[in-house]
Amino acid sequence: MPFTVHGLPVSQGIAIGHVHLISHALLEVNHYHVAPRHIEDELARLDEAVATVQGELVGLKAVTTSGQAHSEVGAFVDLQLMMLADPMLVDAARQLVESRRCNAEWALVQQMEHLVEQFRQIEDPYLRERQADVVQVIERLVKVLLGHPGHLPPKRRDGLGTIVVAHDLSPADTIGFRDHNIAGFVTDVGGPTSHTAIVARSLKIPAVVGLHHVRDLLEDDELVIVDGTRGVIIVAPGDEIIEEYRLRRSELEIERSKLNRLRDTRATTLDGETINLMANIEGPKDLPAVKSANADGIGLYRTEFLFIGRDNLPDEDEQYEAYRAVVKAMPSKPVTIRTFDVGNDKALNGVHSRMEPNPALGLRAVRYSLSEPKMFLTQLRALLRASAHGKLQIMVPMLAHAQEIDQCLALIEKAKAELRAEKLKFDESVQIGGMIEVPAAALSLGMFIRRLAFLSIGTNDLIQYTLAIDRSDEAVVHLYDPLHPAVLKLIAGTIATGARYGLPVSVCGEMAGDLAYTELLLGMGLRNFSMHPGNILEIKQQILRADLGELAPKVQRILKMDEPARIREAVERLVA
Ligand code: PEP
Ligand code: MG
């Protein structure tokens, strides 16, 4: 009998294929004592496994740096390599083999349990989450020791793909899927913002996570359908259901190829208003995707990805090269580069190791930059130097106070004066903007409007801070609601105030790239959207069907509502 299991949709699309269960290697570990004369062999076995895993990770690193996967993933591979080299992990396990004569797998699992317990007691959520990396590294080692390093099956001949089913998958595992004709994946745990989900999206593999005990419900080779758009898997579907999903899948493919035809069409609404569709990027490696979507510019360059996951900081020249590469690739189009937004869930190795009671409310984004003026000045100099090559604009994240932007502007003046003295070129009229991500800023726009040339609404953080929901905490993910009336009022108010003062306003949070909110944002008066480049053409298609004259009064009525169900219904009805 067919049945369905519901989870969280994290990567869109439909996959039909046969289950390949990935065993939970850590549950299969035998415990035994090694004879004293075999201790040396056991240690050699452990060392060999470490070398193999190191090799695997270095291989994965090569894939990530060749631009085929998310740069964040490269950072995580680095982190796992570092853990592998950490004496707390392998050396401690070696000692257990030597002193207690444990077999290598058992020693590793004991040490893992010990470390996980230590991580659990850490207050900093970012560091606490790193226990997952410890488990993943040990799991890799154990798989190698057990002689089944999680090999994926060869390509099937029946035209169907393989659906990987696992308790959890590391981003590194996910990258490995590319070469194995993996059609989709499903896991017991995970959330939409997990790094594994991010990689799945960038590889365009349909995925559903958070399915709890799905591994126990499925058998190897069983036929399943993964609907990554709705977050459902259909187990043992009959012929009719398979046919229906095949049809939906080919419709989706046709839709996607039709979308490419919109590449060179401007995003103009039915009543003639042209909307700017810009891209969010994390570095020059995202430029091919920006080009293929023909974005109207870069609305958000998250420069912190240059800084995180490494032991040294990028110097002025390294930063300058990265910023210049992006600016030069976008001739005559605006490139909005955000000053580094570290802290919270994006910590710097070593530098940001202070234990914070609540990192989301602590020293992050502009607060961190101002606390490290030397490091900030280096970035500002690099940005200004790159501004000589195109339409670069500088954007400051997470503003809440007027003095924050005053201090930033003073530092920019200082950087300019230095460059003038050194006879280095830069754009004298470079535009400075700020992100509206904190309710306090959205409610006191005047002081920012007087000081800045443009605003960009970071809805991801604006929602987090308005609703007091840690966006990286899976336990409260169900409360993260972009349609909460308070959130809508703050977004609409910012857009309207910007328009009144003639200051350009954009939205660069996830809402801008989500089809569910396109009409709503248009109706609020938004004319500048910035999103993952992969979403641009879809959003453009929706804009081409929209009529602003009709939307604006409807959205005004929605903004007066305060009953969530009614708001949701009314927003759904806006979609043409
Ligand atoms: C946001 O908060 O909406 C945003 C775009 O910034 P980030 O997601 O990088 O915090
Ligand atoms: Mg933000």
Side-chain angles (χ1 to χ4, degrees):
M1 271 298 279
F3 62 95
T4 56
V5 193
H6 292 256
L8 295 167
V10 294
S11 183
Q12 293 205 354
I14 289 167
I16 306 173
H18 293 275
V19 167
H20 176 75
L21 288 175
I22 301 239
S23 67
H24 202 355
L26 298 178
L27 300 178
E28 293 175 20
V29 164
N30 284 325
H31 300 179
Y32 56 88
H33 289 288
V34 181
R37 67 180 189 287
H38 288 141
I39 297 276
E40 281 309 312
D41 295 344
E42 197 62 12
L43 289 173
R45 209 163 74 83
L46 178 57
D47 292 342
E48 232 171 81
V50 172
T52 306
V53 171
Q54 256 161 353
E56 282 176 14
L57 290 172
V58 169
L60 281 168
K61 175 88 179 132
V63 177
T64 61
T65 49
S66 65
Q68 288 153 319
H70 209 269
S71 59
E72 248 180 296
V73 179
F76 273 74
V77 173
D78 278 340
L79 183 72
Q80 297 200 353
L81 274 167
M82 258 165 54
M83 285 181 172
L84 213 49
D86 192 322
M88 283 297 284
L89 209 149
V90 178
D91 285 1
R94 284 180 114 258
Q95 268 171 23
L96 286 172
V97 175
E98 278 172 328
S99 60
R100 301 215 200 131
R101 297 180 22 238
C102 300
N103 60 315
E105 295 90 330
W106 185 17
L108 283 168
V109 171
Q110 283 181 74
Q111 187 53 18
M112 175 191 84
E113 283 166 357
H114 172 67
L115 290 174
V116 164
E117 196 41 50
Q118 287 190 344
F119 271 93
R120 268 205 197 110
Q121 288 166 16
I122 297 179
E123 281 198 26
D124 182 317
Y126 179 81
L127 290 177
R128 200 167 52 231
E129 273 174 34
R130 301 287 59 80
Q131 61 178 284
D133 294 280
V134 176
V135 175
Q136 282 168 7
V137 169
I138 299 281
E139 180 148 33
R140 265 180 183 276
L141 286 167
V142 169
K143 278 181 182 165
V144 172
L145 286 164
L146 291 176
H148 54 83
H151 278 140
L152 290 166
K155 284 189 182 178
R156 300 184 64 96
R157 299 232 170 98
D158 58 7
L160 291 174
T162 298
I163 308 291
V164 171
V165 179
H167 175 69
D168 194 8
L169 290 166
S170 67
D173 292 327
T174 320
I175 294 170
F177 290 170
R178 275 176 333 115
D179 310 322
H180 288 270
N181 194 30
I182 299 302
F185 81 79
V186 297
T187 60
D188 290 342
V189 297
T193 54
S194 65
H195 291 93
T196 307
I198 292 170
V199 183
R201 283 197 287 273
S202 76
L203 296 176
K204 298 192 167 38
I205 296 177
V208 180
V209 303
L211 286 151
H212 301 288
H213 298 292
V214 72
R215 270 184 82 256
D216 305 334
L217 300 174
L218 300 175
E219 280 172 29
D220 252 329
D221 231 28
E222 194 164 25
L223 195 63
V224 291
I225 299 173
V226 178
D227 183 340
T229 309
R230 294 185 191 161
V232 181
I233 66 163
I234 299 110
V235 186
D239 289 346
E240 246 174 62
I241 301 180
I242 296 180
E243 233 5 82
E244 185 192 318
Y245 271 89
R246 281 215 171 104
L247 203 67
R248 275 197 39 212
R249 189 174 59 184
S250 54
E251 278 168 7
L252 284 175
E253 276 159 16
I254 293 169
E255 281 294 311
R256 218 167 282 153
S257 64
K258 271 197 210 151
L259 277 180
N260 285 332
R261 295 192 213 143
L262 296 180
R263 188 186 173 275
D264 299 319
T265 307
R266 297 248 39 210
T268 304
T269 61
L270 291 175
D271 44 354
E273 184 92 28
T274 298
I275 310 297
N276 289 312
L277 298 182
M278 293 172 295
N280 293 353
I281 63 165
E282 281 154 24
K285 62 139 187 75
D286 294 326
L287 287 169
V290 175
K291 291 271 173 200
S292 83
N294 195 14
D296 295 318
I298 305 291
L300 168 65
Y301 176 172
R302 291 180 161 105
T303 59
E304 56 276 11
F305 288 101
L306 261 172
F307 293 73
I308 58 180
R310 54 192 280 174
D311 293 325
N312 58 342
L313 293 174
D315 64 14
E316 182 179 316
D317 281 343
E318 183 183 341
Q319 291 189 53
Y320 165 66
E321 293 299 338
Y323 308 150
R324 189 184 58 165
V326 174
V327 173
K328 286 192 88 157
M330 305 292 293
S332 71
K333 290 184 178 177
V335 172
T336 312
I337 307 191
R338 176 171 78 182
T339 58
F340 57 88
D341 180 5
V342 299
N344 197 25
D345 61 341
K346 293 180 278 194
L348 292 182
N349 287 355
V351 184
H352 194 63
S353 52
R354 187 176 74 94
M355 199 73 108
E356 288 177 294
N358 191 335
L361 302 182
L363 204 56
R364 69 167 287 207
V366 67
R367 303 169 182 184
Y368 185 89
S369 301
L370 292 172
S371 75
E372 294 284 342
K374 211 163 147 250
M375 184 174 156
F376 193 24
L377 197 65
T378 303
Q379 178 171 45
L380 294 173
R381 284 177 52 105
L383 285 168
L384 286 168
R385 283 172 59 200
S387 74
H389 301 277
K391 272 174 90 173
L392 184 151
Q393 358 190 78
I394 298 174
M395 180 159 79
V396 183
M398 214 190 141
L399 291 167
H401 302 273
Q403 80 261 23
E404 287 166 339
I405 195 64
D406 286 340
Q407 288 172 36
C408 290
L409 294 174
L411 275 169
I412 292 170
E413 282 313 313
K414 181 172 158 65
K416 283 183 172 179
E418 285 180 7
L419 296 179
R420 273 184 216 111
E422 292 164 42
K423 303 221 171 346
L424 289 168
K425 281 197 201 132
F426 63 92
D427 174 6
E428 285 281 356
S429 57
V430 65
Q431 307 273 285
I432 315 294
M435 288 189 73
I436 302 298
E437 310 190 84
V438 180
L443 294 170
S444 53
L445 290 165
M447 63 189 186
F448 298 107
I449 287 178
R450 281 191 290 280
R451 290 166 168 85
L452 295 168
F454 64 92
L455 300 176
S456 188
I457 309 175
T459 50
N460 307 340
D461 277 315
L462 188 60
I463 297 167
Q464 152 162 285
Y465 294 122
T466 306
L467 303 180
I469 289 161
D470 184 338
R471 61 190 261 209
S472 59
D473 185 348
E474 237 182 281
V476 287
V477 78
H478 59 290
L479 297 173
Y480 190 88
D481 181 13
L483 292 183
H484 190 291
V487 172
L488 296 186
K489 284 193 177 71
L490 293 174
I491 299 173
T494 306
I495 295 170
T497 311
R500 201 161 346 113
Y501 288 91
L503 204 76
V505 176
S506 68
V507 168
C508 63
E510 292 301 299
M511 275 182 89
D514 190 329
L515 288 170
Y517 310 121
T518 312
E519 280 79 4
L520 178 72
L521 294 170
L522 286 172
M524 287 178 179
L526 187 72
R527 301 294 176 262
N528 302 294
F529 290 63
S530 191
M531 64 197 80
H532 185 288
N535 295 341
I536 287 182
L537 296 179
E538 249 181 350
I539 298 285
K540 189 186 279 186
Q541 187 179 44
Q542 192 114 327
I543 289 174
L544 292 169
R545 298 180 191 139
D547 185 320
L548 299 182
E550 276 180 22
L551 286 173
K554 288 184 186 165
V555 170
Q556 282 314 310
R557 281 198 289 279
I558 292 176
L559 291 172
K560 295 205 179 78
M561 299 177 183
D562 60 4
E563 191 51 48
R566 281 192 63 210
I567 296 178
R568 201 161 300 281
E569 226 175 86
V571 171
E572 276 167 19
R573 274 204 307 272
L574 290 176
V575 181

